[in-house]
C-alpha cells in the first residue's frame, strides 16, 4: 500500500514541476499587430472581484487575462459599494491590487492599480487607474476623489456613460460636474464600449472633449461564461505605447493613443485605427489570372477581429460581392478586374466594422505591386 502511494507521488511530481512554469495562454488568445513606432498593448482596465461586487477572487482575473493573452489589467473595485464586506472584511482598499500583483509575479502581465469612484447621476461612475493608494480616494463628497486621483497622477475615465440603470434612454449626457473635472485636468477618458454595449453618443463626447477612447469588460462573473463560451472576446482597449511597460501605457493613455475593440467592432481615432487595420491585413500573393486582366490578391487577416470591408476602388470584383469579411486569422482571395494589366494598384477598402466617429468608417489603402 505504502509503495503504491509512493509510486503515485513519484508519478505526479513531474506534473507539479511542469505546473510551476506552464503557460496559461488558451485557445481564445488575442493577437493584434504593432503599428509603426508603437507596441500594441491589449488591456482591460475595468474589472471587479469579491473585493467589491464581483464574484471571483483576484487571482482568477489574472489567470483569465493570461488565457486571453492580455498585456495589462486593472481590478477597479467600487470604493464605496462593498456588498461582501461582512464576509471578507478588508479595511485596506488596496488588497485586490496586492493579491493580483502577487499572482502575476511569475507571469508577464502588467497590473495597473485602480479603483472605481461610484456615485449616482449626474456624477456617475469613474475609474481612476495608475493610483498609488486607493484609501485616500474614499470620501463623502463627489469632487475630492478626483482631486486626490490627480494628486496621485492617475488616469481617470468615465464609465458606462450610456448605462440604462443611470440613463433610462441610454443617452449619455456630460454633466456640469464632469465638464468641471475635464477643465481641471481630472477626467481624461471615456468608455465607448462597456460590457456588451457600444455607445455612439459616448464616442461623440470623446471626440468633442478630446477624451481617450476606452473599451472595457467591467466583468463581475467569469469571462468564460459571459464571452468565451458564446464564441466572443471581452471588450478591450488597444493602447499604442512606446514600449511594454506601465509607464509607457500610462503615458499613451494620457495622449489618447487607443482603439477600443469588441470582437469585429473597432472604435478609435483615425490616426490609430487606420494603421492598425492596415497592419492587420497582410498582402500574401499577387498575380493576374492567366490570359486575363483579373488580378488575384490573397489577403491574410493577422488580427483577432473579423474584418468587414467594402470595395472603395473604381474596379469591381470577380466572384465576390463588394461587401466581404476576412475572418480573424484567415486568408481570402480577391479577384480585381483592373481592365488593363497594371504593375501596381492601390487596394482601397472601407472598414465597415470600424468607426472613427459615429457612422464614419475609415478607408484603408494598401499599395500592391504586381511582379
Ligand atoms: Zn460602474
Ligand atoms: Zn465597474
Amino acid at each position: 500500500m505504502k509503495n503504491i502511494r509512493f509510486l503515485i507521488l513519484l508519478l505526479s511530481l513531474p506534473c507539479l514541476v511542469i505546473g510551476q512554469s506552464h503557460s496559461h495562454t488558451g485557445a481564445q488568445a488575442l493577437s493584434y499587430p504593432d503599428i509603426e513606432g508603437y507596441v500594441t498593448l491589449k488591456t482591460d482596465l475595468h474589472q471587479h472581484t469579491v473585493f467589491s461586487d464581483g464574484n471571483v477572487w483576484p487571482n482568477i482575473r489574472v489567470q483569465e487575462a493570461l488565457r486571453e493573452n492580455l498585456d495589462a489589467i486593472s481590478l477597479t473595485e467600487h470604493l464605496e459599494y462593498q456588498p461582501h464586506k461582512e464576509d471578507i472584511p478588508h479595511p485596506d482598499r488596496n488588497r485586490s491590487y496586492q493579491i493580483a500583483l502577487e499572482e502575476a509575479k511569475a507571469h508577464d502581465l502588467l497590473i495597473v492599480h485602480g479603483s472605481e469612484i461610484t456615485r449616482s447621476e449626474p456624477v456617475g461612475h469613474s475609474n481612476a487607474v495608475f493610483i498609488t493608494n486607493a484609501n485616500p480616494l474614499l470620501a463623502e463628497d463627489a469632487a475630492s476623489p478626483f482631486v486626490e486621483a490627480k494628486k496621485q497622477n492617475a488616469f481617470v475615465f468615465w464609465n458606462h456613460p450610456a448605462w440604462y440603470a443611470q440613463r433610462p434612454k441610454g443617452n449619455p449626457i456630460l454633466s456640469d460636474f464632469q465638464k468641471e473635472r475635464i477643465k481641471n485636468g481630472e477626467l481624461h477618458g471615456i468608455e465607448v464600449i462597456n460590457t456588451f454595449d457600444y455607445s455612439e453618443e459616448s464616442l461623440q463626447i470623446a471626440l468633442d472633449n478630446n477624451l481617450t477612447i476606452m473599451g472595457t469588460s467591467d466583468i463581475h462573473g467569469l469571462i468564460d461564461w459571459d464571452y468565451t463560451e458564446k464564441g466572443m472576446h471581452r471588450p478591450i482597449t488597444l493602447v499604442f505605447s512606446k514600449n511594454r511597460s506601465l509607464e509607457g501605457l500610462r503615458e499613451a493613455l494620457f495622449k489618447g493613443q487607443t482603439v477600443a475593440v469588441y470582437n469585429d467592432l473597432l472604435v478609435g481615432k483615425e490616426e490609430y485605427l487606420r494603421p492598425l487595420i492596415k497592419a492587420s491585413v497582410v498582402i500574401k500573393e499577387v498575380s493576374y489570372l492567366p490570359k486575363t486582366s483579373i488580378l488575384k490578391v490573397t489577403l491574410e487577416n493577422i488580427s483577432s477581429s473579423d474584418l468587414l470591408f467594402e470595395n472603395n476602388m473604381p474596379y469591381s470584383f470577380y466572384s465576390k460581392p463588394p461587401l466581404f469579411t476576412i475572418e480573424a486569422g484567415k486568408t481570402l482571395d480577391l479577384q480585381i478586374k483592373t481592365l488593363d494589366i497594371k504593375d501596381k494598384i492601390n487596394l482601397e477598402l472601407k472598414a465597415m466594422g470600424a468607426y472613427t466617429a459615429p457612422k464614419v468608417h475609415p478607408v484603408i489603402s494598401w499599395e500592391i505591386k504586381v511582379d
Side-chain angles (χ1 to χ4, degrees):
M1 206 52 190
K2 236 180 179 177
N3 280 343
I4 290 170
R5 268 196 207 151
F6 183 62
L7 186 67
I8 290 168
L9 182 67
L10 260 185
L11 285 171
S12 60
L13 265 178
C15 305
L16 287 175
V17 173
I18 292 163
Q20 301 285 313
S21 59
H22 75 282
S23 161
H24 286 279
T25 310
Q28 72 274 44
L30 289 164
S31 177
Y32 289 89
D34 293 337
I35 63 171
E36 208 187 322
Y38 300 105
V39 177
T40 301
L41 300 180
K42 304 171 291 291
T43 74
D44 183 1
L45 303 180
H46 188 171
Q47 303 186 55
H48 297 275
T49 77
V50 288
F51 285 89
S52 58
D53 58 345
N55 305 319
V56 305
W57 196 254
N59 66 330
I60 300 299
R61 294 287 176 244
V62 172
Q63 290 168 24
E64 286 175 330
L66 292 168
R67 290 165 75 93
E68 262 189 321
N69 194 29
L70 300 188
D71 297 290
I73 60 165
S74 187
L75 305 186
T76 48
E77 312 298 354
H78 296 283
L79 286 161
E80 305 81 0
Y81 182 50
Q82 295 274 318
H84 303 309
K85 72 173 176 215
E86 299 297 316
D87 295 313
I88 308 169
H90 59 108
D92 182 358
R93 293 288 196 276
N94 299 300
R95 280 305 292 150
S96 180
Y97 164 70
Q98 289 163 353
I99 295 167
L101 200 59
E102 188 61 32
E103 178 71 17
K105 249 185 190 168
H107 298 286
D108 194 20
L109 178 69
L110 302 171
I111 307 292
V112 179
H113 198 171
S115 272
E116 182 161 5
I117 304 163
T118 316
R119 297 287 189 283
S120 50
E121 283 289 279
V123 176
H125 297 189
S126 304
N127 272 357
V129 293
F130 293 98
I131 56 173
T132 52
N133 183 1
N135 297 319
L137 269 70
L138 201 51
E140 284 295 318
D141 71 309
S144 29
F146 291 86
V147 174
E148 177 61 31
K150 189 182 178 185
K151 216 188 280 176
Q152 297 186 16
N153 295 316
F155 173 82
V156 181
F157 57 96
W158 181 14
N159 298 342
H160 44 72
W163 185 31
Y164 60 71
Q166 291 193 325
R167 286 269 152 210
K169 291 181 184 175
N171 62 333
I173 293 165
L174 192 68
S175 66
D176 288 341
F177 178 85
Q178 285 158 329
K179 285 177 190 163
E180 185 74 17
R181 304 282 82 70
I182 293 171
K183 206 179 77 191
N184 295 351
E186 295 166 354
L187 185 62
H188 318 102
I190 181 170
E191 288 179 345
V192 302
I193 304 173
N194 174 287
T195 317
F196 312 118
D197 181 53
Y198 160 53
S199 161
E200 295 184 37
E201 300 85 355
S202 300
L203 175 59
Q204 193 58 57
I205 292 173
L207 298 173
D208 292 344
N209 297 276
N210 195 26
L211 297 173
T212 300
I213 292 166
M214 306 291 293
T216 73
S217 71
D218 198 357
I219 186 76
H220 288 71
L222 289 172
I223 290 290
D224 257 14
W225 292 359
D226 284 7
Y227 299 100
T228 315
E229 57 174 42
K230 293 172 185 156
M232 301 194 295
H233 289 292
R234 72 171 96 192
I236 57 170
T237 306
L238 296 180
V239 185
F240 307 101
S241 172
K242 65 183 179 196
N243 55 37
R244 195 178 184 281
S245 70
L246 283 172
E247 193 41 48
L249 174 60
R250 185 183 163 280
E251 192 186 302
L253 284 168
F254 271 105
K255 288 183 177 168
Q257 298 170 184
T258 63
V259 166
V261 178
Y262 180 38
N263 300 307
D264 55 0
L265 173 69
L266 302 107
V267 185
K269 290 184 188 139
E270 185 153 12
E271 57 194 298
Y272 303 105
L273 195 44
R274 210 128 51 100
L276 175 71
I277 296 171
K278 188 161 178 172
S280 296
V281 175
V282 177
I283 313 292
K284 302 292 279 188
E285 280 173 47
V286 182
S287 63
Y288 275 98
L289 297 180
K291 297 176 183 169
T292 73
S293 58
I294 299 173
L295 185 66
K296 185 181 142 194
V297 178
T298 304
L299 307 174
E300 183 182 8
N301 176 3
I302 60 166
S303 83
S304 292
S305 293
D306 292 346
L307 295 173
L308 178 65
F309 289 115
E310 186 176 57
N311 181 10
N312 204 56
M313 295 181 286
Y315 317 118
S316 60
F317 296 152
Y318 190 82
S319 294
K320 190 80 66 202
L323 196 66
F324 62 97
T325 301
I326 317 177
E327 286 178 44
K330 298 274 168 60
T331 60
L332 176 132
D333 288 341
L334 285 182
Q335 297 177 355
I336 306 165
K337 299 192 277 186
T338 62
L339 305 179
D340 308 307
I341 302 283
K342 314 262 184 203
D343 53 8
K344 62 174 185 201
I345 67 156
N346 275 328
L347 172 67
E348 214 178 85
L349 303 174
K350 192 182 270 191
M352 303 305 285
Y355 295 91
T356 55
K359 298 174 178 68
V360 179
H361 307 289
V363 173
I364 324 290
S365 182
W366 294 260
E367 192 178 297
I368 293 184
K369 289 199 179 81
V370 185
D371 298 325

